[in-house]
Amino acid sequence: MKMMIEDRQAKLPEERTRGDFLEHIVEDMKTNNLLTSDLISYMMFGLLLATFETISTTLTLTVMLLTQHPLLVQELERENKEIVQKRRNVETGMTWEEFRSLTFTKQVINEVLRMGNFVPGFLRRAIKDIQIKEYTIPEGWTIMVVPSAIHLNPETYTDPFVFNPWRWKDLAENNVTSAKNFIPFGEGIRLCPGAEFSKVLMTLFLNVLATKYSWSQVKPGEIIRAPTMGFGKGYYIKVAEKSI
């Protein structure tokens, strides 16, 4: 990252033609002393992790889990084909009404997020003594909230290690999707700013995948934690366009 920043700084203004985020930041370094190479390299790493690594890995997990459950693929295809067939032009983009109507697709996404737990934990600091039952967390201590401890709790989710999107119909009726039981994007004032965007992107991806393509597994993937979720040597599928 630092080498890339130095390379951009060495270029003359007329040579900077990319117009990307890094180029704008390098230009701002001239007038803002707070923007150091160290700060920008950390910033870029964070952006890459948050905007690419999380969503691509989660989508990979989604495809892997769907591949293992053909009946879910059929239901996903049925729901998404239904909204496409109602359009005057099948190539028209998804509307807000269509997005809201994709109930089962959202249940699939929720179940993937529940089981995936891409981030191993969220760090917070106690700004005052916190009393939890007979325990006291002293002011100033660092707290690590572990989503998997919540998302895989058998008292909340029956058979928590089973991929079952249909569970979300009952969970929604019982208001289990509250922050107390489902926090894939964190919670409170530090909620991930890309939470809703990520869910929309995943919905659009599944809509296109289910209606336009079929796929089969070529090589299974191994899920690793280092410490975030990943697939090590990848997950391989063969994709074919459906005949219209």
Side-chain angles (χ1 to χ4, degrees):
M1 287 292 180
K2 289 180 180 178
M3 289 175 62
M4 190 180 295
I5 293 168
E6 291 171 0
D7 180 65
R8 296 292 185 93
Q9 287 177 310
K11 291 183 181 297
L12 296 172
E14 58 269 20
E15 295 177 318
R16 298 173 188 164
T17 57
R18 291 174 181 252
D20 56 20
F21 178 77
L22 182 56
E23 198 163 89
H24 286 291
I25 288 291
V26 168
E27 188 64 28
D28 289 342
M29 289 176 71
K30 297 177 180 178
T31 55
N32 191 334
N33 294 330
L34 293 176
L35 296 176
T36 63
S37 294
D38 283 340
L39 176 62
I40 293 175
S41 61
Y42 283 123
M43 185 191 306
M44 294 302 297
F45 178 80
L47 282 172
L48 287 172
L49 177 68
T51 61
F52 173 76
E53 191 73 16
T54 52
I55 192 70
S56 61
T57 303
T58 304
L59 286 175
T60 303
L61 178 64
T62 304
V63 174
M64 186 184 79
L65 291 171
L66 286 173
T67 305
Q68 296 170 355
H69 299 82
L71 290 178
L72 298 183
V73 177
Q74 291 178 20
E75 179 61 21
L76 192 69
E77 182 179 346
R78 182 202 63 76
E79 181 179 71
N80 281 272
K81 269 189 173 181
E82 198 172 89
I83 68 166
V84 173
Q85 290 169 350
K86 290 179 180 179
R87 297 173 183 168
R88 292 184 178 181
N89 182 353
V90 295
E91 296 301 324
T92 303
M94 185 182 293
T95 65
W96 178 244
E97 289 73 21
E98 289 174 343
F99 171 76
R100 293 182 63 186
S101 71
L102 293 173
T103 304
F104 183 72
T105 303
K106 292 175 184 175
Q107 291 172 355
V108 170
I109 292 171
N110 278 349
E111 186 71 345
V112 172
L113 292 172
R114 181 189 72 81
M115 295 192 71
N117 297 300
F118 178 85
V119 178
F122 309 113
L123 295 176
R124 299 291 185 268
R125 188 178 299 279
I127 59 175
K128 63 179 181 180
D129 288 355
I130 302 173
Q131 192 71 30
I132 301 179
K133 295 183 178 179
E134 68 270 26
Y135 298 98
T136 299
I137 301 175
E139 177 184 346
W141 274 35
T142 298
I143 304 169
M144 185 173 183
V145 182
V146 182
S148 59
I150 297 172
H151 297 160
L152 301 177
N153 182 0
E155 293 182 6
T156 305
Y157 301 98
T158 305
D159 296 324
F161 294 99
V162 175
F163 182 64
N164 176 21
W166 282 293
R167 76 168 79 239
W168 289 92
K169 180 181 179 181
D170 295 331
L171 292 174
E173 292 173 354
N174 297 324
N175 198 32
V176 175
T177 56
S178 65
K180 197 174 180 181
N181 302 297
F182 189 55
I183 55 169
F185 298 99
E187 192 51 50
I189 61 173
R190 296 289 299 278
L191 177 73
C192 172
E196 295 305 317
F197 172 79
S198 298
K199 286 185 278 190
V200 170
L201 192 151
M202 291 181 70
T203 302
L204 293 172
F205 175 87
L206 290 175
N207 173 259
V208 173
L209 182 67
T211 57
K212 295 187 176 183
Y213 299 95
S214 60
W215 72 94
S216 58
Q217 179 177 287
V218 174
K219 182 180 177 182
E222 180 184 4
I223 298 176
I224 60 172
R225 301 275 177 178
T228 56
M229 181 178 66
F231 282 86
K233 297 180 180 179
Y235 176 68
Y236 294 81
I237 59 172
K238 181 179 180 181
V239 181
E241 191 169 1
K242 292 179 179 177
S243 57
I244 300 176

